[in-house]
Amino acid sequence: MRIAALKERAPGENRVAITPETVKKFIALGATIAVEEGAGLAASVTDEAYREAGAEVVPAAKAVEGADIVLGVQAPDVMALAGAKPGAWVAATFDPFRNGETVEAYAKGGFEALAMEFMPRITRAQSMDVLSSQSNLAGYKAVLTAANTYGRAFPMMMTAAGTVQAAKVFVMGVGVAGLQAIATAKRLGAQVSATDVRSATKEQIQSLGAKPVFVEDVAGIEGEGSGGYATEMSEEYQKAQAELVSAHIAKQDIVITTALIPGRPAPKLISDAQIASMKPGSVIFDLAVAQGGNVAGSQPDQTVEKHGVKIVGYSNTAGHLAADASALFARNLYNFLSAFWDTESGRPVLDEEIGDAVRLTQGGKVVNERLAG
Ligand code: NAD
């Protein structure tokens, strides 16, 4: 079983899909590991560290040659897989709803694409879930970036020269990233409030010591819904939410938006008029900017100033914490493949529940149910 990991080629992608820690673990399972030269440099992992862990460190084409499995953070271009075994697996993120062409190319190439973002939200797959591990770090980084952009302090400070007021932080969307954003803002001493469409998040917000702000008169999503994900809300709900947010947002210093709906553009949560109602110097961090954005006018990797409010957002937030993000991502991949390791055949054999959920292509065809419609 030969496993290869390539250097990421997407602009601004600093992460790497394998670390010396997971190299050792894969070798312990009986695999041979090949890593492309320089693959870990942007995540502070040297070629030497990979070699010490037991990996071959070689140019890309050599790494892929004869590979049974290729690991990536973002799926490599199918051209980069030339020389891999026929039917080789590629475990990476594919952004399958938006990258139909890549998925088709993998099918044509005869590769088995395993999309890590399609990992089912079930207890036994939690340790394999790259969306969770990366969102968690992203939620943290969003708050730090907003704090750094903000021209005032987060905690209340009583000084001889007078009192500095605590910042008011509002988190919109309380999934994995939002929960970490709340926790981080609390740790920095801000006054934190948060909202979501899923009523189950209300208690979670309170348990972190923040104030829930919820639409009360129109039903949101009760309980956890399908896999905990949100769906598009009714027009009536959207209107009620906009009114509630308008009243609240005008009093906030920092807003962190994290709202996503799988397979759809991010919901628009903050309009230009709402931005105008905020105090000059306020900061909005749009974590959904790469999926179309929650905030009117937000641009990936740019600071947009509107009505004296700075709007920020990264196209790849987790990539700004590349070392930790890579360590977690690599462990997710290892946890995934090792959970299915068949000692007799010396390779992973996926089951239906997880295998069918993540597999996009097989035997020259696109086989995933979620892509069928
Ligand atoms: P996500 O990234 O898909 O979305 C972020 C948040 O935005 C969600 O909480 C969503 O409800 C919210 N949102 C969507 N539309 C909104 C709107 N119009 N207004 C306000 N908020 C809106 O979500 P996520 O971080 O992936 O997590 C979703 C849920 O899945 C959480 O409850 C999480 O605990 C759960 N989860 C379970 C597992 C598992 O069991 N293996 C793994 C990861 C996450």
Side-chain angles (χ1 to χ4, degrees), residues 33 46 49 52 59 68 95-96 106 113 116 137 141 168 177 182 189 191 196 200 217 260 290 305:
I33 307 294
T46 60
E52 272 168 22
D68 299 275
D95 201 356
Y106 268 70
M116 290 300 104
L137 291 170
K141 194 67 179 179
K168 292 197 177 76
I182 295 172
Q191 271 179 32
D196 200 291
D217 36 352
L260 290 177
E305 192 156 343

Side-chain angles (χ1 to χ4, degrees), residues 155-165:
M156 187 179 92
M157 290 188 231
M158 302 226 245
T159 79
T163 301
V164 170
Q165 293 301 326

